[in-house]
Amino acid sequence: MMPRNGGPFKRKMKRTYIRLVRLTKRFYVRFVRLRGTPQQISLGFALGILVGMTPFLGAHTVIAIFLASVFKWSKITAALGVFITNPITAPIMYPLTYRLGAMLTGFSEPIQWSRLLESVALIELLKNSPMIIIDMLVGGILVGIPLSIIVYFITHAIVSKAKKRIEMKKARRMLEKQTRSIVKTSLSL
C-alpha cells in the first residue's frame, strides 16, 4: 500500500521546489529594487551578457564592472549578467562561439577533439591558442550582440513594470496616510 502523502522523496522534492520559488521571488524583488533607471539596469545586464560571451573567463566580472562604470550603467546588473557563463552553459557556449568565429575568420584550423590526447596535437593547440582566442572572441561577440539586445528589451520591460507598480504602491500609501490625517484632524475639530 502506497503512503497517502507520496513518500519522503516526493516531500523532499516539494520542499526543494518551494525553496526554489522563494529564492526566485527574492532575487526578482531585489533585482527590480536596484537603484537606477530601468534603462541603466537593463543596459548593465545586457552588457554583462555580452561580456560573458567572450573567452576571458577569469576577467568577465572585472571587465563588465569597468565598462558599466565608464558608461554609467548598473554595475551590479553587469556583474550578474556575466554569469551567463557558468559550468552548465560554458561547455555548450564556448565550442559554439569558437566554431562560429573559426568559420568567419579562418584564423585557426578546426580542433580535432579525438586527437587532443596526443602530445603533438596538444602542442599544436597551444601554438594556435592566440588564434583560437580571436576566433572565440569574434564568435562570442556575434552571438552576444543579438542575445544582449533581446535581454535588454526583456529586462527593460520587467524592470519598468515592476518599478511602476512600486511607485503606485508608494503613491497609494501616501494618499491613504494623507486621508487618515485629514479625517483625524476633522474629527478632532
Side-chain angles (χ1 to χ4, degrees):
M1 182 175 208
M2 285 289 283
R4 236 190 306 158
N5 59 8
F9 179 74
K10 191 171 182 180
R11 283 193 306 269
K12 187 173 183 175
M13 289 303 294
K14 187 175 180 179
R15 281 193 305 262
T16 304
Y17 174 75
I18 291 170
R19 286 182 188 145
L20 185 63
V21 167
R22 285 181 185 156
L23 183 68
T24 304
K25 285 181 183 179
R26 193 176 318 135
F27 176 77
Y28 169 76
V29 168
R30 287 184 179 177
F31 190 77
V32 298
R33 286 186 180 170
L34 287 171
R35 275 192 262 153
T37 65
Q39 185 175 9
Q40 291 170 330
I41 293 169
S42 303
L43 285 169
F45 196 63
L47 175 69
I49 296 288
L50 179 62
V51 171
M53 296 300 292
T54 63
F56 310 118
L57 190 58
H60 282 157
T61 306
V62 174
I63 294 169
I65 290 173
F66 172 75
L67 291 174
S69 296
V70 169
F71 294 122
K72 297 191 185 324
W73 296 342
S74 174
K75 293 180 276 301
I76 294 172
T77 57
L80 287 173
V82 300
F83 288 109
I84 189 167
T85 305
N86 58 58
I88 296 170
T89 60
I92 298 165
M93 191 173 62
Y94 282 145
L96 172 76
T97 59
Y98 166 71
R99 285 205 174 130
L100 181 62
M103 278 183 357
L104 293 172
T105 64
F107 284 149
S108 63
E109 295 290 321
I111 297 172
Q112 296 175 349
W113 300 104
S114 60
R115 289 191 47 222
L116 201 56
L117 296 177
E118 298 173 15
S119 61
V120 175
L122 189 58
I123 291 170
E124 194 176 306
L125 180 67
L126 290 174
K127 277 197 242 178
N128 290 332
S129 63
M131 295 302 135
I132 291 171
I133 290 173
I134 291 172
D135 288 342
M136 289 178 72
L137 181 62
V138 169
I141 290 172
L142 289 176
V143 171
I145 287 174
L147 185 61
S148 295
I149 292 170
I150 292 166
V151 165
Y152 167 79
F153 285 111
I154 292 170
T155 307
H156 191 274
I158 291 169
V159 172
S160 295
K161 187 176 180 180
K163 286 204 179 259
K164 282 180 187 175
R165 197 168 52 237
I166 289 169
E167 288 299 316
M168 293 292 284
K169 281 183 180 180
K170 283 182 182 178
R172 196 176 315 126
R173 274 191 246 131
M174 187 65 107
L175 184 62
E176 288 172 0
K177 187 177 180 181
Q178 288 174 348
T179 306
R180 281 193 302 259
S181 175
I182 292 171
V183 168
K184 197 175 194 180
T185 55
S186 65
L187 287 176
S188 66
L189 293 175

